[in-house]
């Protein structure tokens, strides 16, 4: 767990419908821009340990689909939307300031 925020990028570098991955220690964090709002999820499918960033981000539906087995998640809160995933993906805080987008693994 990090007490410090991790710099992601300038807001202009992550346009609506785009994603990027940053690391907070050993935790990969997928940062997504959905319609101008930024969200951060652990870059790991809750069904099987596989990178969500390899999947398809639907910038109109606010979903990301895992390419391994087709599980889909709401990027706004990490909740699963279909089988085979039943557990949510951990969501992380996002902070925006004049320098850009920041996130961190805030789990205890």
């Amino acid at each position: 767990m990090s007490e410090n925020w991790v710099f992601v990028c300038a807001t202009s570098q992550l346009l609506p419908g785009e994603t990027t991955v940053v690391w907070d220690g050993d935790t990969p964090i997928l940062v997504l821009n959905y319609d101008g709002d930024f969200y951060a999820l652990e870059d790991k499918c809750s069904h099987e340990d596989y990178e969500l960033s390899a999947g398809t981000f639907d910038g109109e539906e606010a979903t990301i689909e895992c390419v391994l087995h087709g599980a889909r998640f709401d990027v706004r809160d990490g909740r699963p939307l279909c089988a085979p995933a039943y557990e949510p993906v951990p969501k992380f805080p996002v902070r925006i300031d004049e320098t850009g987008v920041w996130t961190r693994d805030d789990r205890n």
Side-chain angles (χ1 to χ4, degrees), residues 1-8 21-31 40-43 92-93 102-107:
M1 184 193 76
S2 175
E3 296 290 329
N4 299 319
W5 291 85
V6 176
F7 182 72
V8 178
V21 176
V22 296
W23 290 80
D24 187 355
D26 293 335
T27 305
I29 301 176
L30 174 62
V31 181
L41 302 173
E42 186 169 15
D43 189 20
F92 299 124
W102 299 78
T103 190
R104 67 178 178 177
D105 182 350
D106 64 344
R107 295 176 290 189

Side-chain angles (χ1 to χ4, degrees), residues 6 16 20 22 24-27 30 41 46-47 58-60 63 67-68 72-73 77 81-82 85 90 93 105 107:
V6 176
T20 192
V22 296
D24 187 355
D26 293 335
T27 305
L30 174 62
L41 302 173
S46 64
H47 166 248
D58 186 327
E60 293 185 11
T63 62
V67 296
L68 198 57
R72 279 187 341 216
F73 300 89
D77 57 14
L81 300 172
C82 66
D105 182 350
R107 295 176 290 189

Side-chain angles (χ1 to χ4, degrees), residues 72-102:
R72 279 187 341 216
F73 300 89
D74 189 312
V75 302
R76 296 165 291 192
D77 57 14
R79 68 189 159 93
L81 300 172
C82 66
Y86 298 99
E87 295 296 319
V89 173
K91 180 181 181 221
F92 299 124
V94 174
R95 186 181 85 198
I96 308 294
D97 66 17
E98 63 280 350
T99 62
V101 183
W102 299 78

